[in-house]
Amino acid sequence: MGKNFKRISLIIFLLIILLSVAYFLTRDNKNKLDKIDIAKNNLVIKNFDLSKNLTDSEGFYRVTADIANFDKNIGKSELDNCSIEYKTDNTSATFRAAECTYWVDKRIVLKGNVNGQINGVEISTGENGVFHYNFDNATGIMENGVEVRGNDVIITSEKAVMSRSYRTVEFISNVEVDYAY
């Protein structure tokens, strides 16, 4: 009985070790991430959503996109179906476009059918429209067919330069103003 007991104990011990190894090997496979190429320093982020508080006021900006291709080396993201929301104590703005390029805390460029609003005034561009916004000096430039609608006024031009600091919009080239009395 002593020999059989030792054999049975050894078999049970080896069986426990074998099952433990098998369990840990299969558990590690479930927790493994897809292969990531760290050498490139690029990330693809679905449902991108970034919010940032502004330092010069009690405001913030928020950038969202369906997909963001982020290059960590230069702090630049290529965004698909993107939008930016910008709020301060006296300014509320949102803009949308099919494509954007975003440099973290520096600037954002929206391309193609840019549309949005600033304090309830609608602003849009044509198919080839581009909107450059610089966070450092709070200025924006819209190009390639700008249309502004608000309070019975429609203003169109080739280009518009906006300054949050001076609270102005300057329309440049082929400016037309339609006003309903």
Side-chain angles (χ1 to χ4, degrees):
M1 180 162 157
K3 289 183 183 181
N4 288 337
F5 179 75
K6 288 181 183 179
R7 284 185 191 160
I8 291 173
S9 296
L10 181 62
I11 290 172
I12 290 174
F13 178 74
L14 291 175
L15 187 59
I16 290 172
I17 290 175
L18 181 63
L19 289 174
S20 297
V21 169
Y23 171 75
F24 285 110
L25 287 176
T26 58
R27 190 186 79 170
D28 285 345
N29 286 339
K30 290 178 187 175
N31 292 332
K32 285 186 180 175
L33 295 174
D34 291 335
K35 191 174 185 179
I36 298 174
D37 188 355
I38 295 178
K40 287 185 179 178
N41 257 342
N42 292 337
L43 299 172
V44 176
I45 304 168
K46 293 182 181 177
N47 298 319
F48 179 79
D49 192 335
L50 173 100
S51 295
K52 177 85 175 172
N53 288 330
L54 300 171
T55 57
D56 63 341
S57 67
E58 304 240 346
F60 71 93
Y61 72 87
R62 178 180 181 200
V63 178
T64 60
D66 290 346
I67 296 174
N69 293 303
F70 181 63
D71 185 336
K72 289 171 38 176
N73 289 332
I74 57 176
K76 175 182 166 184
S77 294
E78 297 294 333
L79 310 173
D80 291 337
N81 195 20
C82 55
S83 68
I84 181 167
E85 178 181 5
Y86 184 91
K87 288 198 183 214
T88 63
D89 50 351
N90 58 6
T91 304
S92 173
T94 56
F95 287 94
R96 291 168 293 290
E99 296 177 12
C100 298
T101 304
Y102 171 64
W103 290 265
V104 177
D105 295 334
K106 301 217 181 294
R107 66 180 184 234
I108 189 166
V109 178
L110 291 83
K111 299 174 191 165
N113 289 325
V114 178
N115 62 65
Q117 62 82 28
I118 298 177
N119 293 338
V121 176
E122 295 177 24
I123 301 173
S124 61
T125 69
E127 204 174 285
N128 297 319
V130 179
F131 178 42
H132 302 266
Y133 188 81
N134 187 324
F135 293 102
D136 292 334
N137 60 10
T139 59
I141 299 172
M142 290 188 95
E143 299 176 293
N144 300 334
V146 179
E147 181 177 278
V148 176
R149 293 177 172 265
N151 296 335
D152 301 324
V153 176
I154 300 172
I155 302 171
T156 58
S157 69
E158 285 299 313
K159 183 177 183 179
V161 178
M162 297 171 248
S163 171
R164 186 178 71 83
S165 302
Y166 296 110
R167 300 179 54 91
T168 60
V169 177
E170 179 182 357
F171 297 95
I172 301 168
S173 188
N174 297 325
V175 179
E176 290 185 21
V177 178
D178 293 327
Y179 181 75
Y181 293 96

